[in-house]
Amino acid sequence: MLQPRQGESRPSAASPAGPGVTLSVLLLGLTVIGLVAGGVLSIYDWTTPGAVRPLFLSVLGISVAAVAIPVITAAGRWARAGRR
């Protein structure tokens, strides 16, 4: 088995994710659930004809937020690193 060199530390297998990553993964999960619900409503829309548009807009907003959170946090880290 490979051992780390003297003076090097091994990265932990379960490093905790930051709150931005956790929130982004949660929002991506909600996006998947919303897309499945939209697919079901698009096939069986005789019961709820007005539910597809608000669902689509909310899923679109959630997915944009899920992508924007890591981009904003990365830009913040880049800006802080540039000031040093």
Side-chain angles (χ1 to χ4, degrees):
M1 183 149 175
L2 296 174
Q3 298 294 324
R5 292 184 182 143
Q6 202 66 335
E8 289 184 9
S9 63
R10 278 182 20 183
S12 64
S15 62
V21 173
T22 304
L23 182 61
S24 182
V25 169
L26 174 71
L27 290 176
L28 286 173
L30 287 174
T31 300
V32 170
I33 291 170
L35 288 174
V36 169
V40 169
L41 286 176
S42 68
I43 294 172
Y44 303 109
D45 65 346
W46 66 83
T47 57
T48 55
V52 176
R53 181 176 293 162
L55 180 68
F56 170 74
L57 292 176
S58 63
V59 167
L60 182 65
I62 290 171
S63 62
V64 166
V67 171
I69 289 171
V71 169
I72 291 170
T73 55
R77 279 192 223 125
W78 176 77
R80 276 183 287 174
R83 284 190 232 163
R84 292 181 188 174

